[in-house]
Amino acid sequence: MLVFIPTPSSTTSGGVFHLFEQVSDQLVAGFSLESSSTSVHCQLHDFTVIGTNLHALWSCQGQSIVESIEWEWGKVKKNVPFIGKWAASTYPQESELTPSYLDELLLTPGSMTAKFYEATMRPGVFSPLTLKIALEAYTMSCLSLPGVPPPQLTTPYATLGENIAAVVGCTVHLTRDPQTGAQQHDKYWNALKRDWEGFIARCREVERMARWPLVLGSGSSGSLIAVERERVGVRVGEDLPLRLHRLLSSSIAVEPQYGLMEILWTLKTKIGTRTMLALEDRLTNMVQQVAFPYADIILDQSQRTFFREDLDEADDNWITGRLQSIEDLDQAIRFGLDIVGSLPDNQVKLEEEEVELLLPTAESEWSRALAASFISISVNARYGLCLTVIVLLHFLADGLGDWDPSLLAEVLVVFRGLAMLRYVAQQAAGDSEQDSLGDPDDFVSRMRNMNVSQSRTRSLPVYSLLHRLLPRSWGQKGLVESAHHFLDSTGLLQSVSPAHATRSEVVYCDRLRLLGYLEAAGELLAWLPRTPGVTYVLARLWLDGGRADDAAALLDALAGRFGRSPINVASSEDANA
């Protein structure tokens, strides 16, 4: 029998595991194992033994942590404490919607309401049930205010998203100064910001309880599963970008071959938040400016953002000295691009007979949701690492005229592909509610059980656009291999120059248009140059959006670009796209 005895006053561990043996009608102490130092002041919720591995589920400052250790019972001496190394598994770092983070969102141009709404509805941030509970509490607090309630509070809405967009901030009104009669815009925006911050704070409080760890389990393939109140996680291995991103963000030293990435991450952390956000905001236009040398484009953007002014002289000299210590900076940058843009070839080639026996079957929504989650996390890590290379180019903008133009083009096109994937991963795919009384048989069943007061709607997961784009089956691939295969199949990481739009990029944008996500398709098309293929998809997008005259003008301009020689003036890349 294995038991756990907590030690809340200890400064070295959260408790000790004891293994007792049954001898006749008595329990005799056998082995003991102290938990890790990271479990200090943490609460154990569950533990299980699978084979020779002991797994423990902890709650540490509101976050679930799974720790594992190999404990071979037969090789451990009795009454001697076993000393081993615990391996910890945690969820990847997520941006919490704290007041400081919300203030950072307002540093870039755009609507405050739109920014806060998009951050709240981003897949994986809050569950639909959390949003529903927080919205009900917010609505009740607004209805308790004196006076006639706004009509938004009593109007039914088709979706949860529409309800949040209409209700939050509905009690805030633009007032006038009683003395001058001038409209008090500052007071209005401050009150609206406080309203949104209050709603998001309610969501965070509910979500904190929703992520309370409950139990550990094991999947059919032997994978370890951690169950929370409203979330289920599966332990999987990290790919290289995820591992590097975790180590660098935690200020943990990496291997010498990744020394450049460590220098670049330090440089990125020294740059002010406002400058970094301004830089990211300008990158879309910068990638599209293919008519000028890349070195001149980067130099112009660096001067516009006052990049070097954020660094003090000591940091500037330290970064410069570290970069000079790298023997071949060109090769080191290409190696970094391989990390963020290349995918390992883990596909196993099967014989023809084996392929026939392994015909893919439809995967469950659970498997697809796991794959979409891993892809989103991996893309976000790759984007963060690639952004450090962009920062390096701006740091060295004065001397880029002597660099190889193909290297600059490769940096920009890899960043473009990752930015497009990251945008899709951050967009919600659709409605989160479903009518649960639509089936007459279900209604009769509820009447029979006198359960007619049950809510008409049930909350469903908020999927990202990535989830909608995933294939229905993976064959025999594992989760990580399937994620890499999907990233490779998009073709967004295979381009070689931002001056061209490949067939894969055009098809990817057009697929979003065909699925009905017109706004997302338009955002991705904005990253690509106006090649004939991109222009055609944009024309079809405008046609679907009701802009028939604008679409006709684009299609008319394209009419002379295709045909047989010598009329055809489209390049081979454009014709293929």
Side-chain angles (χ1 to χ4, degrees):
M1 181 175 65
L2 183 64
V3 299
F4 174 78
I5 301 178
T7 54
S9 60
S10 174
T11 58
T12 59
S13 69
V16 181
F17 291 92
H18 294 276
L19 181 65
F20 291 88
E21 296 179 333
Q22 182 177 3
V23 179
S24 184
D25 58 347
Q26 296 181 348
L27 292 177
V28 179
F31 318 115
S32 64
L33 173 63
E34 189 176 22
S35 59
S36 68
S37 58
T38 58
S39 63
V40 176
H41 305 310
C42 297
Q43 183 177 357
L44 182 71
H45 287 262
D46 188 31
F47 63 89
T48 184
V49 178
I50 302 177
T52 59
N53 293 319
L54 171 63
H55 308 281
L57 176 62
W58 299 89
S59 175
C60 298
Q61 300 178 356
Q63 183 182 19
S64 298
I65 296 180
V66 176
E67 292 190 321
S68 304
I69 190 171
E70 187 175 4
W71 194 4
E72 298 185 14
W73 324 100
K75 298 182 179 180
V76 180
K77 297 181 180 180
K78 291 185 178 181
N79 301 321
V80 177
F82 176 77
I83 301 176
K85 185 177 181 181
W86 289 88
S89 301
T90 61
Y91 284 101
Q93 288 185 343
E94 300 174 337
S95 298
E96 296 187 17
L97 302 187
T98 59
S100 59
Y101 179 81
L102 296 178
D103 289 338
E104 291 180 4
L105 294 179
L106 301 180
L107 295 178
T108 54
S111 167
M112 179 183 67
T113 301
K115 289 178 181 294
F116 287 173
Y117 175 81
E118 181 184 357
T120 304
M121 301 301 294
R122 188 173 298 165
V125 177
F126 300 124
S127 69
L129 184 58
T130 292
L131 294 173
K132 187 175 182 180
I133 294 174
L135 182 62
E136 290 175 352
Y138 176 86
T139 303
M140 293 301 297
S141 66
C142 292
L143 290 173
S144 64
L145 297 175
V148 180
Q152 293 92 329
L153 298 176
T154 56
T155 302
Y157 299 94
T159 65
L160 180 62
E162 292 180 9
N163 198 349
I164 293 174
V167 169
V168 178
C170 67
T171 59
V172 181
H173 303 286
L174 182 61
T175 59
R176 293 182 179 272
D177 189 289
Q179 297 180 352
T180 64
Q183 292 182 332
Q184 298 175 317
H185 292 281
D186 291 342
K187 289 186 176 181
Y188 172 78
W189 291 118
N190 289 333
L192 183 61
K193 181 173 180 288
R194 287 196 303 268
D195 242 35
W196 269 102
E197 288 177 344
F199 173 72
I200 293 175
R202 293 176 186 270
C203 294
R204 293 182 61 201
E205 183 64 27
V206 177
E207 187 71 14
R208 187 178 296 110
M209 299 301 297
R211 297 189 178 188
W212 190 258
L214 297 177
V215 67
L216 287 173
S218 178
S220 58
S221 59
S223 57
L224 190 64
I225 299 176
V227 181
E228 301 174 354
R229 283 182 176 176
E230 294 180 28
R231 190 169 64 164
V232 180
V234 176
R235 189 177 67 178
V236 297
E238 297 174 313
D239 59 8
L240 182 56
L242 267 176
R243 176 175 171 271
L244 283 179
H245 188 273
R246 174 179 59 84
L247 294 177
L248 294 174
S249 59
S250 302
S251 300
I252 301 176
V254 297
E255 291 83 348
Q257 62 265 35
Y258 309 122
L260 177 63
M261 305 304 297
E262 188 172 10
I263 299 173
L264 301 188
W265 190 271
T266 303
L267 173 61
K268 178 175 173 289
T269 57
K270 298 295 183 181
I271 303 299
T273 302
R274 183 183 296 272
T275 302
M276 285 302 305
L277 292 175
L279 175 62
E280 290 186 72
D281 190 54
R282 293 174 178 269
L283 284 174
T284 305
N285 295 330
M286 186 179 74
V287 172
Q288 280 190 327
Q289 295 177 15
V290 297
F292 304 95
Y294 299 122
D296 295 343
I297 297 173
I298 296 173
L299 177 60
D300 176 69
Q301 295 297 329
S302 177
Q303 294 173 347
R304 289 175 181 269
T305 55
F306 305 101
F307 189 84
R308 297 294 286 264
E309 294 185 3
D310 278 5
L311 294 173
D312 56 36
E313 185 177 356
D315 292 333
D316 194 306
N317 294 335
W318 185 86
I319 296 294
T320 303
R322 290 293 304 274
L323 292 175
Q324 290 175 350
S325 65
I326 299 177
E327 296 182 2
D328 191 345
L329 185 59
D330 183 285
Q331 185 62 31
I333 293 176
R334 294 185 187 276
F335 179 67
L337 292 178
D338 289 340
I339 294 174
V340 300
S342 299
L343 300 167
D345 187 11
N346 295 327
Q347 302 181 24
V348 180
K349 296 183 179 180
L350 303 175
E351 298 295 336
E352 184 176 353
E353 295 79 5
E354 292 177 319
V355 174
E356 294 177 356
L357 294 175
L358 297 177
L359 292 177
T361 57
E363 297 288 345
S364 64
E365 290 296 317
W366 156 252
S367 300
R368 299 179 71 228
L370 283 178
S373 178
F374 184 87
I375 293 171
S376 177
I377 295 169
S378 180
V379 166
N380 191 61
R382 294 168 187 267
Y383 175 87
L385 294 175
C386 189
L387 187 59
T388 63
V389 183
I390 297 290
V391 170
L392 172 66
L393 297 185
H394 285 73
F395 181 78
L396 302 176
D398 294 334
L400 294 184
D402 299 330
W403 285 39
D404 183 0
S406 65
L407 175 59
L408 302 179
E410 187 177 355
V411 172
L412 295 177
V413 78
V414 170
F415 180 82
R416 183 182 75 182
L418 291 172
M420 294 171 67
L421 287 170
R422 180 172 175 262
Y423 173 81
V424 173
Q426 291 181 343
Q427 302 305 306
D431 197 353
S432 61
E433 294 188 358
Q434 241 182 25
D435 191 354
S436 58
L437 281 179
D439 189 357
D441 295 335
D442 183 49
F443 180 78
V444 171
S445 175
R446 291 191 182 183
M447 287 292 294
R448 182 179 299 135
N449 298 327
M450 299 303 293
N451 195 20
V452 293
S453 63
Q454 185 171 332
S455 174
R456 291 180 59 88
T457 58
R458 59 187 178 94
S459 298
L460 296 175
V462 178
Y463 293 124
S464 69
L465 283 184
L466 275 180
H467 185 272
R468 295 290 184 258
L469 297 174
L470 291 176
R472 286 292 175 182
S473 62
W474 298 110
Q476 301 299 311
K477 302 182 182 69
L479 176 62
V480 179
E481 292 78 11
S482 301
H484 290 165
H485 176 74
F486 171 78
L487 291 175
D488 185 58
S489 65
T490 62
L492 298 182
L493 300 179
Q494 298 177 359
S495 302
V496 295
S497 173
H500 303 289
T502 63
R503 181 178 183 275
S504 298
E505 292 170 329
V506 174
V507 170
Y508 191 80
C509 297
D510 193 47
R511 186 181 177 190
L512 287 175
R513 180 190 67 83
L514 294 174
L515 290 175
Y517 301 108
L518 304 185
E519 183 178 356
E523 289 291 336
L524 295 192
L525 288 173
W527 281 94
L528 302 175
R530 286 294 186 89
T531 61
V534 173
T535 305
Y536 173 77
V537 175
L538 182 61
R540 294 293 304 272
L541 182 66
W542 285 355
L543 194 62
D544 294 341
R547 300 173 58 180
D549 294 339
D550 296 332
L554 285 182
L555 293 174
D556 185 57
L558 284 175
R561 299 296 300 271
F562 299 97
R564 295 182 178 179
S565 248
I567 302 176
N568 182 16
V569 294
S571 64
S572 58
E573 294 88 353
D574 294 338
N576 186 35

